[in-house]
């Protein structure tokens, strides 16, 4: 049995430290925000090249508050991609703004900057690129067009902790960067968590207030806020895990390299990293025209795979009201039909990868591309 991810193996490798960190929070009774969260905010912001970090209760909350801090609201438009997890679009919807999609670059699965200019209207307020699968979006042309039109750039870095674009860390290139610490993410809490990072003190102040009922100080509510606070126990756990993140990321990158070697010459389209990026392989997605049969063949040999994501957001029933139709974003639609995510996590062994590759090559030879 080769699981798609193995959270138990990772916990086993750091159990004494995590257990002690949790015990410390229990002793301190700082269950929500508190010292551990404050330390983690500084450490993670520094790791990601940000100045200020604001810990929140999910990546979705980070995106929501980032948009609000940027002044996005009803009547505004925000540009993003349909080939993403639904949360990206949900966060825009929460503000009352309208989502406007542009297609992806089929090589990197991230926003194609060439499509942005045509999507801009007088109502456009922000651009939200997604660093999908751990591959950074092509930020320089995105930032250039944003500056030209006076738009805020909010990076959805939920899947890309520590990824780099031309030597710069994701989350630090736009105006605000948003991360998720959902358990299966490259840096995962043992529950929910997220963070917004920014170099802009006004955005930091606004997000910091909005996550805690919009209060400037206790019971003095200057904004209509939310209960989006990060829990103390999660902050303490994430501080422990952050110390391992670089090692885990390198293990993911090595595993991706190993898949590349094992599957080379097979004709199976493998993920490609642009030459100027550090891909952190949250997801390792191959492409196949025979996905259902391939997935079934792997499953029959005890190998779990995933599909991220089977339907682009513009074709999801929940977002029908945006008014898009099939055929409008062909690269996103094709990717949604073809991607298949192989097991990928730091603890994945070379032997396990050899088993995955053997099963895949065997099924591929029988089924075709
Ligand atoms: C691309 C993307 N954006 C946003 C989110 C939302 O993060 P969370 O689940 O922490 O709310 C996720 C993950 O779930 C994601 O993958």
């Amino acid at each position: 049995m080769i699981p798609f991810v193995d959270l138990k193996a990772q916990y086993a490798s750091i159990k004494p430290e995590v257990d002690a960190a949790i015990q410390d929070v229990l002793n301190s009774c700082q269950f929500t925000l508190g010292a551990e969260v404050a330390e983690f905010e500084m450490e993670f912001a520094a790791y990601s090249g940000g100045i200020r970090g604001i810990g929140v209760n999910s990546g979705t909350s980070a995106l929501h508050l980032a948009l609000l801090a940027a002044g996005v609201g009803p009547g505004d438009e925000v540009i993003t991609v349909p080939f993403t997890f639904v949360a990206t679009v949900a966060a825009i919807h929460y503000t009352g703004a309208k989502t406007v999609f542009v297609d992806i670059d089929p090589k990197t699965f991230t926003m194609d900057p060439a499509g942005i200019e045509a999507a801009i209207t007088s109502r456009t307020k922000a651009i939200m690129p997604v660093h999908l699968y751990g591959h950074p979006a092509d930020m320089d042309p995105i930032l250039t067009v944003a500056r030209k039109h006076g738009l805020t750039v909010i990076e959805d870095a939920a899947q890309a902790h520590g990824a780099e674009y031309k030597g710069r860390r994701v989350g630090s290139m736009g105006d605000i960067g948003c991360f998720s610490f959902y358990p299966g993410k490259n840096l995962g809490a043992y529950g929910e968590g997220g963070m917004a990072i920014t170099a802009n003190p006004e955005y930091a102040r606004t997000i910091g207030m909005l996550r805690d009922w919009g209060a400037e100080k206790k019971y003095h509510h200057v904004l209509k806020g939310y209960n989006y606070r990060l829990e103390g126990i999660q902050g303490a756990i994430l501080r422990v895990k952050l110390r391992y993140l670089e090692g885990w990321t390198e293990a993911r990158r090595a595993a991706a390299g190993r898949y590349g070697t094992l599957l080379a010459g097979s004709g199976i389209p493998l993920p490609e990293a642009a030459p100027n990026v550090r891909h952190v392989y949250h997801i390792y997605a191959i492409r196949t025209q025979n996905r259902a049969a391939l997935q079934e063949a792997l499953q029959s040999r005890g190998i779990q795979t995933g599909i991220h994501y089977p339907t682009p957001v513009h074709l999801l029933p929940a977002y029908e009201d945006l008014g898009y139709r099939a055929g409008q974003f062909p690269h996103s639609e094709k990717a949604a039909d073809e991607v298949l995510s192989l097991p990928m996590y730091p603890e994945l062994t070379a032997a396990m990868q050899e088993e995955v590759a053997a099963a895949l090559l065997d099924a591929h030879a029988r089924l075709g591309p």
Side-chain angles (χ1 to χ4, degrees):
M1 176 75 195
I2 301 180
F4 179 66
V5 285
D6 190 350
L7 299 184
K8 286 185 179 163
Q10 187 164 90
Y11 174 53
S13 74
I14 53 172
K15 182 176 180 342
E17 279 176 90
V18 168
D19 291 1
I22 293 172
Q23 189 59 54
D24 285 347
V25 177
L26 296 180
N27 294 338
S28 77
C29 289
Q30 292 191 355
F31 294 121
T32 186
L33 299 177
E36 291 293 327
V37 168
E39 291 292 325
F40 176 60
E41 287 174 335
M42 286 192 282
E43 292 163 3
F44 188 74
Y47 171 83
S48 300
I51 309 289
R52 277 285 318 270
I54 306 97
V56 291
N57 61 351
S58 73
T60 309
S61 299
L63 291 168
H64 181 197
L65 298 190
L67 288 160
L68 292 179
V72 172
D76 295 331
E77 294 177 359
V78 178
I79 295 172
T80 190
V81 287
F83 193 58
T84 182
F85 182 60
V86 69
T88 311
V89 180
I92 298 169
H93 171 73
Y94 296 165
T95 68
K98 183 180 167 213
T99 301
V100 174
F101 290 121
V102 298
D103 210 353
I104 55 163
D105 168 351
K107 279 215 175 73
T108 64
F109 299 105
T110 65
M111 181 178 279
D112 180 357
I116 299 174
E117 197 101 42
I120 293 175
T121 72
S122 58
R123 294 167 181 259
T124 309
K125 263 277 176 58
I127 307 177
M128 212 149 84
V130 182
H131 305 304
L132 200 76
Y133 297 165
H135 189 295
D138 191 5
M139 289 303 291
D140 276 349
I142 293 172
L143 291 166
T144 302
V145 69
R147 281 197 203 102
K148 182 174 156 199
H149 294 273
L151 307 175
T152 307
V153 175
I154 296 169
E155 296 175 63
D156 183 341
Q159 302 190 358
H161 318 70
E164 290 172 14
Y165 173 85
K166 299 184 183 173
R168 289 172 281 162
R169 286 261 157 109
V170 299
S172 70
M173 292 173 277
D175 297 283
I176 308 172
C178 299
F179 293 86
S180 164
F181 305 122
Y182 181 76
K185 294 291 195 273
N186 287 21
L187 179 60
Y190 289 161
E192 305 281 347
M195 193 180 294
I197 68 167
T198 181
N200 180 316
E202 264 315 299
Y203 288 156
R205 199 176 110 81
T206 305
I207 296 169
M209 288 195 289
L210 284 174
R211 74 164 165 190
D212 195 9
W213 294 116
E216 198 168 41
K217 54 183 194 272
K218 200 162 183 162
Y219 302 132
H220 186 64
H221 305 278
V222 295
L223 297 170
K224 293 189 180 73
Y226 301 82
N227 177 356
Y228 279 179
R229 296 173 300 238
L230 181 60
E231 294 187 350
I233 285 178
Q234 303 308 338
I237 293 166
L238 287 162
R239 285 189 76 196
V240 171
K241 294 185 76 176
L242 180 58
R243 298 201 280 271
Y244 293 90
L245 182 57
E246 278 302 283
W248 289 335
T249 299
E250 284 310 316
R252 284 177 184 273
R253 288 168 51 76
R258 214 175 290 124
Y259 272 140
T261 307
L262 290 166
L263 300 170
S266 64
I268 301 170
L270 307 178
E272 288 176 41
N276 49 10
V277 308
R278 180 194 198 210
H279 192 330
V280 297
Y281 296 101
H282 173 58
I283 297 285
Y284 186 94
I286 61 164
R287 282 183 184 259
T288 167
Q289 318 261 335
N290 260 318
R291 184 167 63 193
L294 212 54
Q295 193 169 29
E296 174 70 37
L298 291 174
Q299 187 62 49
S300 72
R301 290 171 68 158
I303 299 164
Q304 285 181 351
T305 54
I307 299 172
H308 304 89
Y309 298 91
T311 310
V313 181
H314 70 289
L315 300 180
L316 286 174
Y319 290 95
E320 248 171 31
D321 58 345
L322 290 174
Y324 290 106
R325 298 174 316 280
Q328 282 188 278
F329 304 104
H331 294 309
S332 294
E333 291 167 29
K334 193 162 189 291
D337 285 342
E338 294 183 356
V339 289
L340 181 66
S341 313
L342 303 186
M344 170 55 75
Y345 45 94
E347 298 77 15
L348 188 68
T349 64
M352 288 161 123
Q353 288 194 270
E354 280 158 24
E355 220 177 303
V356 174
L360 195 57
L361 292 172
D362 181 47
H364 179 69
R366 274 188 296 114
L367 300 163

